[in-house]
Amino acid sequence: MEWILLVVAGLFSGIVGALVGLGGGVILVPAVLFFGTTLALIPDITPQSVVGLSVVMMIFTGLSSTLSYMKTKTVDFRSGFIFFIGSIPGTILGAWVNKGLDLPSFNLYFGILLIVLSTLLLVRDRLKPVRWFVENGKKRTFTDVKDTYVYGYPIWFALLLTFGVGFASGLFGIGGGSIIVPAMILLFLFPPHVAVGTSMFMVFLSSIVNSATHISLGNVPWLYTIPVIPAAYIGAKIGAKLNKKLNSDSLVFALRIVLLLLGVRSIIAGLL
């Protein structure tokens, strides 16, 4: 039974993560915690092992998505490397802080993060883009069949931002795409498809470092990676294909409601 649940969670995490650039951990972590701790359907699950499972999974969802987005030339590799460099120290620090969290504390802080993320998704389309970062940073251009986009950022700010993204990723195993994609679109004026593709490239690179740290801490439940990784890899392929064909607004709307409900539930579980 637990393997069926893990396959479903991995597949859905891969689809949603690749479709909107979240990385998938924000789906996998609450799902596995719910099945494993609340319903007691997955043996020996702890916050640390869930995060370890999530970051290893995201190596493969990030790789699968990046390969798909490379075909459409919507990955900004230079920006992805800069964001990755900024995230490295934050990722390592977050992983070390994670080992000191008990289940109630993890639920509380993770619930707060989920509510913040759902709020970001809620207001993302209502906020006006900020042009200061492009005007005072290194400019980049992207041309598709219709338009040419100008975007950019000061490197110092990108490194500072991605340090925080890396810390959240190492602490909660969420991948960081759920934070960096809105920032790339609203602050750096990235075209949405380039933001998603570049985010998944950064998720792939940062998950390697994140996984190495959690492996060294003994946080990875290797047996459970067997059903999760193939399902997530296939899901990421499906999500990347859907990204090219679908307007993801309806999915983002549903996702932010789900994240809000999961966040409230997680906070209540942490306080009880």
Side-chain angles (χ1 to χ4, degrees):
M1 173 61 74
E2 63 264 29
W3 279 44
I4 295 174
L5 295 174
L6 289 168
V7 166
V8 172
L11 184 66
F12 190 63
S13 298
I15 292 173
V16 176
L19 182 58
V20 292
L22 297 180
V26 75
I27 302 296
L28 186 76
V29 171
V32 174
L33 273 179
F34 177 73
F35 292 135
T37 61
T38 304
L39 300 182
L41 296 176
I42 303 175
D44 304 322
I45 280 293
T46 66
Q48 287 74 25
S49 62
V50 172
V51 171
L53 177 64
S54 177
V55 297
V56 170
M57 176 201 73
M58 284 187 294
I59 294 177
F60 297 90
T61 57
L63 175 61
S64 176
S65 302
T66 299
L67 292 174
S68 295
Y69 288 121
M70 283 173 60
K71 295 177 182 178
T72 57
K73 299 182 180 180
T74 53
V75 179
D76 182 341
F77 289 102
R78 180 180 181 276
S79 295
F81 274 116
I82 290 173
F83 298 161
F84 166 61
I85 291 170
S87 72
I88 291 174
T91 295
I92 296 172
L93 178 62
W96 279 94
V97 172
N98 170 270
K99 70 178 183 177
L101 291 180
D102 56 19
L103 182 59
S105 298
F106 184 90
N107 277 329
L108 177 61
Y109 300 140
F110 189 62
I112 293 172
L113 178 65
L114 289 180
I115 291 176
V116 170
L117 295 180
S118 68
T119 303
L120 278 176
L121 290 173
L122 178 66
V123 303
R124 183 176 72 177
D125 296 332
R126 293 173 173 80
L127 295 177
K128 293 183 178 180
V130 179
R131 299 193 173 276
W132 184 90
F133 296 96
V134 175
E135 294 169 356
N136 292 273
K138 182 70 175 178
K139 294 183 176 64
R140 309 276 288 166
T141 61
F142 173 76
T143 303
D144 60 16
V145 293
K146 295 181 180 179
D147 298 297
T148 296
Y149 301 87
V150 178
Y151 62 97
Y153 46 86
I155 292 179
W156 66 266
F157 183 82
L159 294 174
L160 186 63
L161 174 67
T162 50
F163 173 85
V165 171
F167 179 78
S169 177
L171 184 60
F172 296 113
I174 60 169
S178 46
I179 303 173
I180 195 66
V181 169
M184 291 165 72
I185 294 173
L186 294 173
L187 302 182
F188 303 158
L189 306 188
F190 271 68
H193 288 308
V194 177
V196 172
T198 305
S199 166
M200 294 308 297
F201 176 57
M202 188 200 78
V203 165
F204 166 61
L205 295 177
S206 62
S207 294
I208 295 174
V209 176
N210 208 351
S211 295
T213 306
H214 280 283
I215 289 170
S216 71
L217 295 172
N219 291 344
V220 179
W222 292 108
L223 182 63
Y224 293 150
T225 64
I226 298 172
V228 167
I229 288 175
Y233 187 89
I234 294 170
K237 287 287 187 184
I238 296 172
K241 289 182 179 179
L242 290 175
N243 178 275
K244 305 169 192 174
K245 300 177 181 179
L246 297 180
N247 184 332
S248 61
D249 288 345
S250 57
L251 178 66
V252 171
F253 175 79
L255 181 63
R256 64 195 179 204
I257 298 301
V258 170
L259 291 180
L260 180 62
L261 294 175
L262 288 173
V264 171
R265 182 209 153 272
S266 186
I267 289 175
I268 292 173
L271 293 175
L272 293 179

